[in-house]
Amino acid sequence: MPRGKRTRSTGWRKVRALRLEDIRHWWMRRLPVLEWVPAYDWKENLVPDAVSGMMLAIQQVTQGLAFAVLSSVHPVFGLYGSFFPVIIYAIFGMGRHVATGTFALTSLISANAVERLVPSAGTNFTANNNSGVLGLSEFEMQRIGVAAAVSFLGGIIQVAMFMLQLGSATFLLTEPVISAMTTGAATHVVTSQVKYLLGMKMPYISGPLGFFHIYAYIFENIRSVQLEALLLSLLSIVVLVLVKELNEKFQRNIKIVLPIDLVLIIATSAACYYADMEYVYGLEVVGHIPEGLPPPKLPPMNVLSEVVTEAFGVALVGYVASLALAQGSAKKFKYTVDDNQEFLAHGLSNVIPSFFFCIPSAAAMGRTALLYSTGARTQVACLISSALILVVIYTIGPMLYWLPMCVLASIIIVGLKGMLMQFRDLKKYWNVDKIDWSIWVSTYVFTICFAANVGLLYGVVCTIVTVIFRFSRARTLNLKNMKEVEYKYKTEDNCQSLKQVKIVSVNNPLVFLNARKFHADLTKIIQKDSTSSQACEDVNKCEQNTLLCSFSNGSCHGESLQLSQSERRVLILDCSGLSLFDYTGASMLLQIYMDCKNRHIDVLLARCKGKYQLTAKILT
């Protein structure tokens, strides 16, 4: 048979070999909505999801308006960015408690492109030059066109990374690097809002060391501070922080927390309207908010080549921040998240909404924490919030005309509290691994001096170089040298009690490069025992036993071999060969310990050397 025909016949056999079940499994992986919607428990989950959805909608509206201003576009586009991406992620995303929408870091990155390509100074466009779209000026439409182009290209990059299966490379993004980058970016966001807090008129400043140039400009023009805006900003920040602290303190005793963001917006808007603060005191307000949704329109393709840098920043920074939240929620609520599928979900959440004048989107820490605290169960909470935001877009939006910009800036700053509090992580990094501490500090400095994407790149490169240097003096990275010993004996005090022990000897470093594989290999070793165990008439002849259930979900698959109540299960990790570890490795040990503890399995660390005894203290 000719070679060409033989190749075609082989390919055809592979196509025919595809079973219907394989196709169904592929669609379930790519469209998680097909999995969780049929299994949705309306009786148990609808009420908590509805309550969480209402609270989330309030925060989405306030953050949408604020982050649109941060992105240097009209506030109404933030409402669109709080509506469309949420629906797309609910279909393609795997994080059940991930609140996608407008995001401070991606907004700040896209603002660089907007201000560079459509600067506010020297423009020929005025508010009276109506574009015919949403009743906004041509100047505003050009600005959102650039932001939408950044979102479109950033989403394309994320989808390309999904097709290249680059989700498996996320182990390079260690927790210290992500923490430092997000903290530095949050510091940038706070700096960008200082002009609104002080009521100052100042030019847009960016670029290397732009952080310091902003404060230099402020101190040089300190006399132009608007006292009314400053007092209103301070009052807003105090009220927001105080009420949110009280909500957190008494959230167990109250079913619904006070939506202080909404209360503050209503109160300050009403006060600004009745006191005519816009004209009497010169306070800057949000202004006209158009009603309804815009018709879809292709983002301007002619600017794509000029926003490549910002698009890569949006793709990487948005994905990293969102993935960290998705993995955190998966760990907390015992389900799994596919890193590569998240690339697809967030990519489509940027590409599709860009046709509806949306700014770049990602998951936000504050909104995700809100879903935790209000008891959300599934993505239905986010869909309910989208429905409420649609009501705001069509009915309530125009009433936000009188909202002071300094109040929006206060909401942004208080909303970044979670990111700014990551400064407290420095203590634990110092206690576990001082090299991780130095990487955190240097990554934060690079982010402050340059930009979030530059800081992220520096952190990854610095981590790789550090590990290569440390591994040159370590034994090996190969986990195939892991030895497994298992035995059983009867305790002296109770001859009826069978104590089951598994000893795993680790003869390699445990760092970010192999921490996930260590977890997976340990799980595989024990799951192998579960799946291959067979019933024995004599317990002394039984060489296999169910020691550990799957970490990927909260259920136990080893039900075929039930352990009696008198049996204790023990996992001993022999750390005599553990030559070094970093914070990621220590965190993985802690995760293993907590997972086993929930399943009543004792985890012991044996023969820890020198400073590595600290890990044993952390676990206990």
Side-chain angles (χ1 to χ4, degrees), residues 311-361:
F312 267 102
V314 164
L316 295 178
V317 173
Y319 173 75
V320 168
S322 302
L323 181 64
L325 294 175
Q327 290 176 338
S329 72
K331 184 188 299 184
K332 183 179 179 68
F333 296 98
K334 309 299 180 185
Y335 60 90
T336 58
V337 170
D338 184 350
D339 297 350
N340 207 54
Q341 177 66 20
E342 290 297 290
F343 261 130
L344 177 64
H346 288 289
L348 295 179
S349 297
N350 277 311
V351 172
I352 297 176
S354 67
F355 288 82
F356 295 91
F357 305 100
C358 291
I359 60 179
S361 65

Side-chain angles (χ1 to χ4, degrees), residues 380-439:
V380 171
C382 297
L383 294 177
I384 291 175
S385 73
S386 296
L388 296 175
I389 290 172
L390 189 63
V391 174
V392 172
I393 292 174
Y394 274 95
T395 59
I396 305 177
M399 302 180 186
L400 300 173
Y401 179 97
W402 299 98
L403 176 62
M405 293 296 297
C406 60
V407 175
L408 266 185
S410 303
I411 293 174
I412 291 177
I413 292 175
V414 176
L416 293 172
K417 174 189 170 185
M419 289 186 181
L420 296 174
M421 293 299 287
Q422 291 178 135
F423 278 110
R424 296 182 300 182
D425 295 343
L426 284 171
K427 182 179 179 180
K428 64 182 181 182
Y429 295 139
W430 179 266
N431 291 334
V432 176
D433 187 7
K434 292 178 175 57
I435 293 181
D436 276 345
W437 180 89
S438 63
I439 290 175

Side-chain angles (χ1 to χ4, degrees), residues 177-370:
V177 172
I178 296 174
S179 174
M181 182 273 294
T182 52
T183 306
T187 308
H188 272 296
V189 174
V190 171
T191 301
S192 69
Q193 297 304 296
V194 171
K195 63 180 181 180
Y196 295 113
L197 296 177
L198 302 178
M200 293 180 63
K201 302 290 184 181
M202 60 180 296
Y204 182 81
I205 301 174
S206 63
L209 304 180
F211 174 85
F212 303 100
H213 293 317
I214 291 175
Y215 286 104
Y217 182 91
I218 291 173
F219 285 115
E220 290 175 0
N221 299 271
I222 195 68
R223 293 188 177 182
S224 63
V225 171
Q226 191 175 15
L227 184 59
E228 294 81 7
L230 176 59
L231 293 176
L232 185 56
S233 300
L234 291 175
L235 178 63
S236 300
I237 292 175
V238 170
V239 171
L240 287 169
V241 172
L242 181 62
V243 175
K244 290 192 175 187
E245 288 292 332
L246 293 175
N247 284 339
E248 292 180 6
K249 185 176 181 180
F250 298 105
Q251 65 179 359
R252 294 184 178 179
N253 301 327
I254 54 178
K255 294 183 179 180
I256 300 179
V257 298
L258 177 65
I260 184 58
D261 293 356
L262 178 64
V263 173
L264 184 64
I265 286 176
I266 294 175
T268 54
S269 298
C272 185
Y273 172 76
Y274 286 107
D276 202 13
M277 294 183 182
E278 182 184 10
Y279 300 104
V280 175
Y281 301 107
L283 280 182
E284 186 177 358
V285 297
V286 169
H288 171 63
I289 302 290
E291 295 182 15
L293 293 174
K297 182 181 178 182
L298 183 70
M301 297 291 105
N302 59 318
V303 301
L304 292 183
S305 60
E306 301 181 65
V307 299
V308 173
T309 302
E310 289 80 8
F312 267 102
V314 164
L316 295 178
V317 173
Y319 173 75
V320 168
S322 302
L323 181 64
L325 294 175
Q327 290 176 338
S329 72
K331 184 188 299 184
K332 183 179 179 68
F333 296 98
K334 309 299 180 185
Y335 60 90
T336 58
V337 170
D338 184 350
D339 297 350
N340 207 54
Q341 177 66 20
E342 290 297 290
F343 261 130
L344 177 64
H346 288 289
L348 295 179
S349 297
N350 277 311
V351 172
I352 297 176
S354 67
F355 288 82
F356 295 91
F357 305 100
C358 291
I359 60 179
S361 65
M365 182 183 294
R367 297 194 298 266
T368 302
L370 177 67

